[in-house]
Amino acid sequence: MITNLSTLVKLAKKNPKVVAVAAAEDEVVISSAKEAYLEGIATFRFYGSADKIEEMCSALNFKEGYTIIDCKNKTESITGAILSVCSGESQLLMKGYIKTGELLSAFLKDDFNLKTGRTMNLVTIFELERYHKLLLVTDAGMVISPDLQQKADSIVNAASVARALGIEVPKVAVLAAVEVVNPKMPATIDAAVLSQMAARGQLGAVEVDGPFALDNAISAEAAKHKGIVSPVAGDADIVIVPDIEAGNIFYKAMAFLSGAELASTIVGGKVPIILTSRADSERTKLQSIALNVVLAGGV
């Protein structure tokens, strides 16, 4: 089982992947690609304005490990990158200088046959000094206000990432503001239903419980004080947040206040999607690419 994010880079080196970057004319993305290439985990196909991409690569002294495919506009670059994945020429897709929604709206077109029928989620892995193992959190950046089915999908999606880390039956804590079911708080009702769905085998090989307040999910002592008896309490591998506001606040608090190491992926389609942010550290960007290389299989 993987216990730290630096191991992802080591694993990714065993079988590097080709990454297709849509709208690659972005210094942050190209810088991330350079680091990944130098670490030996990926080579790249850059789709976008050849002149701009060449200029950025030159400024970064990035001379090899990539191919540039000149595109007339953003739409052409998105389509080209996705087709590269569909054909097997590339194994991974990466977001460049475009909105996430623009990339996903194309990715999910029936023509490309990349849908699985599940909602797509941002899954982030945190390595925290005060937690005894890696913690997966979803969704901090995509689904605004997930309904019950979307939360069920997020459990399945996050569990697939957990298994790539060697966690065969991940423990999933469904979060709310309190740890008891309250009819006036829909998040608590969803948590109780998801727990029952998991118990009946509807969500695959996972152990789900909730509702949990965050402290009960990650602190055995806090759970004990509340009288909570659960194999998930204080030992969660995955936490499911109630909405994007809660997820986004958690993500940024961990990244900027706790100094956590992290890596992210967009899952739920037939291939994972690499997403890096301007606010991410260089280490986070590299670890995110490595995570997706590992998820792409063959390592």
Side-chain angles (χ1 to χ4, degrees), residues 95 98-107:
K95 184 181 88 74
I98 47 174
K99 295 178 181 178
T100 303
E102 291 178 300
L103 181 60
L104 290 182
S105 64
F107 180 91

Side-chain angles (χ1 to χ4, degrees), residues 3-273:
T3 58
N4 57 73
L5 292 176
S6 62
T7 302
L8 288 173
V9 179
K10 295 177 183 177
L11 281 175
K13 288 180 180 182
K14 293 182 180 180
N15 196 336
K17 303 300 180 187
V18 180
V19 180
V21 185
E25 50 269 60
D26 185 311
E27 290 178 356
V28 171
V29 168
I30 292 175
S31 175
S32 302
K34 178 184 176 182
E35 291 302 312
Y37 172 69
L38 292 176
E39 285 287 348
I41 66 175
T43 57
F44 294 83
R45 294 179 60 81
F46 294 141
Y47 290 80
S49 167
D51 290 342
K52 291 181 180 179
I53 295 169
E54 286 170 357
E55 182 180 347
M56 291 176 183
C57 288
S58 178
L60 291 167
N61 197 30
F62 189 11
K63 298 178 179 179
E64 57 184 9
Y66 61 86
T67 302
I68 299 174
I69 298 87
D70 190 30
C71 300
K72 297 176 183 177
N73 52 50
K74 183 167 55 179
T75 300
E76 186 176 307
S77 74
I78 294 171
T79 301
I82 294 173
L83 285 173
S84 179
V85 172
C86 291
S87 69
E89 186 176 45
S90 303
Q91 291 82 50
L92 286 166
L93 182 64
M94 184 171 183
K95 184 181 88 74
Y97 195 59
I98 47 174
K99 295 178 181 178
T100 303
E102 291 178 300
L103 181 60
L104 290 182
S105 64
F107 180 91
L108 293 172
K109 287 182 178 178
D110 291 337
D111 295 348
F112 298 125
N113 193 33
L114 292 173
K115 294 191 290 188
T116 62
R118 295 193 306 275
T119 302
M120 297 186 71
N121 297 107
L122 177 68
V123 176
T124 304
I125 307 172
F126 292 90
E127 183 178 336
L128 302 155
E129 285 188 12
R130 297 186 63 184
Y131 197 57
H132 58 283
K133 58 183 173 180
L134 297 178
L135 183 67
L136 285 70
V137 178
T138 190
D139 183 326
M142 288 188 62
V143 185
I144 294 173
S145 183
D147 59 24
L148 180 65
Q149 184 57 55
Q150 288 172 321
K151 288 179 181 179
D153 287 344
S154 73
I155 290 173
V156 175
N157 290 337
S160 70
V161 179
R163 290 189 191 100
L165 303 178
I167 307 168
E168 292 302 320
V169 184
K171 297 178 180 180
V172 183
V174 186
L175 299 187
V178 295
E179 61 282 339
V180 294
V181 175
N182 184 333
K184 294 182 180 180
M185 302 175 73
T188 67
I189 297 173
D190 284 351
V193 174
L194 290 164
S195 300
Q196 189 62 30
M197 289 173 69
R200 294 185 176 182
Q202 292 176 249
L203 304 178
V206 289
E207 193 164 11
V208 180
D209 203 358
F212 284 115
L214 177 60
D215 57 343
N216 311 138
I218 61 174
S219 168
E221 183 178 355
K224 183 178 179 180
H225 283 317
K226 288 289 182 72
I228 298 171
V229 178
S230 167
V232 176
D235 195 37
D237 297 299
I238 299 168
V239 296
I240 307 297
V241 299
D243 55 37
I244 198 170
E245 283 90 355
N248 191 265
I249 291 167
F250 180 93
Y251 180 106
K252 290 178 179 174
M254 294 301 100
F256 292 97
L257 293 177
S258 79
E261 293 280 343
L262 57 105
S264 294
T265 180
I266 297 176
V267 288
K270 290 185 178 179
V271 297
I273 299 175

Side-chain angles (χ1 to χ4, degrees), residues 278-291:
R278 292 181 179 276
D280 288 339
S281 69
E282 292 301 318
R283 189 68 188 167
T284 292
K285 293 167 190 170
L286 177 63
Q287 288 169 168
S288 293
I289 294 173
L291 169 61

